[in-house]
Amino acid sequence: MSTTKKEQGRTRAQESSSAIERMYITMRHLFNRGFYKPMGVSGETLREALLLLRPEIYGSIGEEKAELEGLLYVVDRLPQGIEECTFINLTSDEGYANSHFKSIIPPKRRRNCYRIDDEQMNIEITRGRSEIYDILTHLTFLFVESHKISKRVIIDEDGSTVRDWQKLENAVLSSNKLTQKEREIAITHTANILGRTFHELTDAYPKFATESQPERLLHIVYWLGKLAIEETINNVKRTITFSPVLRERLGHHIHGEIWADTIKTALHDKGLLERPIHIISANMHSVMNSLFAKGALKGADAKKDIFQTYEALSDSKNGHLRAKIEKLALQNGMMSIKDTSGTNIDIQVFDTDKIDFSKTEFKYLEEVKEKKAVLIVMDYAFGEQAYETLDELLKPIYVEDKDVHLNVESISIMGKAGILQGGKGDVMIPNAHIFEGTADNYPFKNELSKDDLSDCGVSVYEGTMVTVLGTSLQNKEILKFFKKSTWNVIGLEMEGAHYQKAIQAASKVRGNINEDVKVRYAYYASDNPLETGATLASGGLGTSGVKPTYVITKKIIEQIFNS
């Protein structure tokens, strides 16, 4: 490779790294300020940094044509109807749940949102700064795309628009249901507006549709364009505000403290507080299914290969099978704690003293009740929220005039991550986390190793993981730098360094838990951001995520029972 090419590659990676840092600092500044106009002067730095960065997930954001996959990724994570709103208000949990406002929950992000009136959408932030960065980045993308639309449809300074726009407006504002012919005519005009082909829009159309809004893609394009035209012609700028209560509460661990206290109180009430505790960050099905699917399913469902059973359980049509397993689990030592704190992290507690291991895939030889493991399975945290929740959970609880320290023997983290050396469905075993944009690094002894998973039928990679500010802020140049540099990076995720920071503080510094607590991390690949067509915007894992999920879960449980 020539020196010039090396310099170009390095420069692009350095530019990208600098852009991420600028976005990070700018978002914190705008938050402290309390409001800003994304397409005004105050939002300029954020826009410029995002356009310089050109993250893979936002595809053609830097080009004239509209980005469809990126748009779908973003609207699935924002509340339905946000494209119509001029005012977007980020709030804390301020009591809207008890009002007449109906909660709007985006399909791919669990957050409560409320449409206040025709112009305003409130988004509730209960998961920390990472959630704010996530939303602001998505909104910046959305508004940049909206101005692409306005540039293509405005003819002159008076606000006259092209014929395509008028036809789209007629279709969207029509009170009648569109026929196939009318829909295809509207798609033709929309394709011209977006700089895309009729075929591309026809392909994307059903992915945007919902039961209540089958023509949602037309609706989104029209309202994004309409508000951008208002900004351009009449200077009516969209505004993002941060509520005073949110600005006051952020960083105080208010939601994490309530969440952790609820769990520890439940353990105390059940007499489990002083038993050996094993914390697992995972989803809400893999541990339960691993322990109880064999005992709950009979007949044809039980005769399948175990991974076929798990695939069947992941199918939304098989709710009756999942209900059987959950019923058996609740009768045999599982306690379910639904979150009411606002963290959106549900909990399952498994008392192994009440599990009949002859009906499971596992052997557990411990016979003394006081030494039998208690598993606490916590749903996935989001970014910096991982530190807040785990830090609070590992603190002692004040019971009967004394501090009771939890007897935490192990902490296991199973998550999804982007992979840099393999493909979707492969497994990554980290030996250190580094925090993006800094030289902060968290090496640790991982109880899981490549050898543990060598015979499981999935490709396994060992190395360093990068904990990123947001998965939507990465581009190929910065990822190639991570992969090829001496950091030896195998993947990227959003929580690892935050979890490890909490574990190290509790075990090595504050003495809240055992200094020799066992730590396990394993991730399965949800995407490869270095491969075109394999980014998160290209769609979910489908059933290819089932095998690695259960392979990792099985190894974690085996190690807990055999340690």
Side-chain angles (χ1 to χ4, degrees), residues 4-154:
T4 311
K5 276 191 175 177
K6 270 186 185 176
E7 283 173 0
Q8 285 172 346
R10 194 179 298 126
T11 303
R12 181 78 182 105
Q14 287 167 338
E15 280 178 354
S16 302
S17 185
S18 174
I20 289 173
E21 194 177 351
R22 266 203 316 283
M23 289 189 77
Y24 182 51
I25 292 165
T26 302
M27 287 190 280
R28 292 189 80 137
H29 162 70
L30 295 172
F31 174 75
N32 290 333
R33 184 183 181 210
F35 74 97
Y36 79 105
K37 296 179 179 179
M39 300 311 291
V41 176
S42 52
E44 193 172 358
T45 308
L46 216 48
R47 293 198 309 275
E48 285 177 355
L50 196 63
L51 287 166
L52 174 65
L53 194 57
R54 297 194 300 279
E56 295 304 306
I57 220 159
Y58 295 149
S60 55
I61 186 174
E63 300 171 29
E64 280 188 25
K65 64 181 180 181
E67 166 57 33
L68 291 174
E69 280 190 348
L71 182 62
L72 178 62
Y73 181 85
V74 165
V75 297
D76 276 349
R77 285 155 179 80
L78 293 172
Q80 192 168 339
I82 197 165
E83 68 277 1
E84 302 172 18
C85 297
T86 311
F87 300 95
I88 295 160
N89 187 22
L90 274 54
T91 74
S92 181
D93 178 0
E94 298 176 25
Y96 291 102
N98 303 319
S99 68
H100 76 280
F101 297 115
K102 189 183 174 202
S103 174
I104 306 167
I105 300 172
K108 298 284 176 74
R109 276 281 186 272
R110 290 169 302 171
R111 52 173 69 111
N112 292 319
C113 310
Y114 302 93
R115 185 74 178 265
I116 304 304
D117 53 35
D118 289 346
E119 296 179 313
Q120 181 177 333
M121 180 73 75
N122 280 15
I123 302 176
E124 218 169 69
I125 305 293
T126 56
R127 306 175 80 171
R129 285 194 181 89
S130 295
E131 191 169 18
I132 295 174
Y133 307 149
D134 189 55
I135 290 166
L136 295 190
T137 312
H138 290 338
L139 288 173
T140 304
F141 163 80
L142 210 58
F143 296 162
V144 166
E145 290 293 305
S146 75
H147 274 255
K148 287 186 193 176
I149 297 168
S150 70
K151 279 177 187 169
R152 294 181 81 97
V153 302
I154 297 173

Side-chain angles (χ1 to χ4, degrees), residues 467-512:
T467 299
V468 297
L469 292 170
T471 49
S472 54
L473 289 180
Q474 312 309 310
N475 65 25
K476 282 186 177 173
E477 284 75 18
I478 199 163
L479 295 176
K480 282 175 185 169
F481 166 75
F482 281 142
K483 181 181 175 181
K484 291 177 181 177
S485 73
T486 52
W487 286 111
N488 182 31
V489 172
I490 54 170
L492 59 147
E493 45 71 57
M494 281 187 66
E495 291 80 31
H498 304 301
Y499 276 129
Q500 194 57 28
K501 185 164 68 171
I503 293 166
Q504 287 182 195
S507 61
K508 310 283 191 228
V509 182
R510 303 170 82 171
N512 286 338

Side-chain angles (χ1 to χ4, degrees), residues 17 21 24 432-443 464-467 481-482 487 497:
S17 185
E21 194 177 351
Y24 182 51
H433 288 100
I434 55 174
F435 191 31
E436 182 181 47
T438 71
D440 296 356
N441 54 85
Y442 299 88
T464 307
M465 301 282 287
V466 175
T467 299
F481 166 75
F482 281 142
W487 286 111

Side-chain angles (χ1 to χ4, degrees), residues 283 285-286 307 310-312 314 380 414-417 423-427 458 523-527 539-553:
N283 50 55
H285 55 79
S286 59
F307 289 109
Y310 294 147
E311 278 189 23
S314 70
Y380 297 123
M414 177 183 76
K416 285 188 295 189
K424 283 188 178 187
D426 289 346
V427 170
V458 292
Y523 299 91
Y524 57 94
S526 56
D527 64 301
L541 267 167
T543 55
S544 63
V546 172
K547 186 164 190 176
T549 299
Y550 283 93
V551 161
I552 294 168
T553 304

Side-chain angles (χ1 to χ4, degrees), residues 55-265:
E56 295 304 306
I57 220 159
Y58 295 149
S60 55
I61 186 174
E63 300 171 29
E64 280 188 25
K65 64 181 180 181
E67 166 57 33
L68 291 174
E69 280 190 348
L71 182 62
L72 178 62
Y73 181 85
V74 165
V75 297
D76 276 349
R77 285 155 179 80
L78 293 172
Q80 192 168 339
I82 197 165
E83 68 277 1
E84 302 172 18
C85 297
T86 311
F87 300 95
I88 295 160
N89 187 22
L90 274 54
T91 74
S92 181
D93 178 0
E94 298 176 25
Y96 291 102
N98 303 319
S99 68
H100 76 280
F101 297 115
K102 189 183 174 202
S103 174
I104 306 167
I105 300 172
K108 298 284 176 74
R109 276 281 186 272
R110 290 169 302 171
R111 52 173 69 111
N112 292 319
C113 310
Y114 302 93
R115 185 74 178 265
I116 304 304
D117 53 35
D118 289 346
E119 296 179 313
Q120 181 177 333
M121 180 73 75
N122 280 15
I123 302 176
E124 218 169 69
I125 305 293
T126 56
R127 306 175 80 171
R129 285 194 181 89
S130 295
E131 191 169 18
I132 295 174
Y133 307 149
D134 189 55
I135 290 166
L136 295 190
T137 312
H138 290 338
L139 288 173
T140 304
F141 163 80
L142 210 58
F143 296 162
V144 166
E145 290 293 305
S146 75
H147 274 255
K148 287 186 193 176
I149 297 168
S150 70
K151 279 177 187 169
R152 294 181 81 97
V153 302
I154 297 173
I155 296 171
D156 55 39
E157 291 176 3
D158 298 331
S160 302
T161 52
V162 296
R163 176 173 173 270
D164 287 317
W165 180 254
Q166 292 153 21
K167 293 292 183 182
L168 171 61
E169 186 170 50
N170 292 340
V172 170
L173 300 182
S174 168
S175 55
N176 300 323
K177 189 179 177 182
L178 296 185
T179 63
Q180 180 66 16
K181 181 182 176 184
E182 288 168 337
R183 183 178 296 113
E184 289 186 352
I185 290 169
I187 288 173
T188 302
H189 293 299
T190 307
N192 283 342
I193 291 166
L194 298 181
R196 291 286 188 173
T197 66
F198 176 80
H199 174 70
E200 285 172 324
L201 248 70
T202 308
D203 262 7
Y205 209 84
K207 296 174 188 172
F208 283 85
T210 64
E211 278 186 36
S212 61
Q213 210 176 30
E215 322 297 344
R216 189 172 171 223
L217 178 56
L218 299 182
H219 190 94
I220 289 168
V221 171
Y222 170 70
W223 279 99
L224 285 178
K226 180 178 168 62
L227 295 189
I229 292 166
E230 285 288 313
E231 288 188 326
T232 306
I233 303 301
N234 301 320
N235 204 31
V236 180
K237 300 284 187 201
R238 284 167 284 196
T239 305
I240 294 174
T241 55
F242 307 92
S243 81
V245 177
L246 174 65
R247 290 161 66 203
E248 180 191 330
R249 284 181 179 176
L250 197 73
H252 289 184
H253 288 199
I254 286 168
H255 301 287
E257 186 177 5
I258 296 167
W259 173 83
D261 283 349
T262 303
I263 297 162
K264 287 180 273 196
T265 302

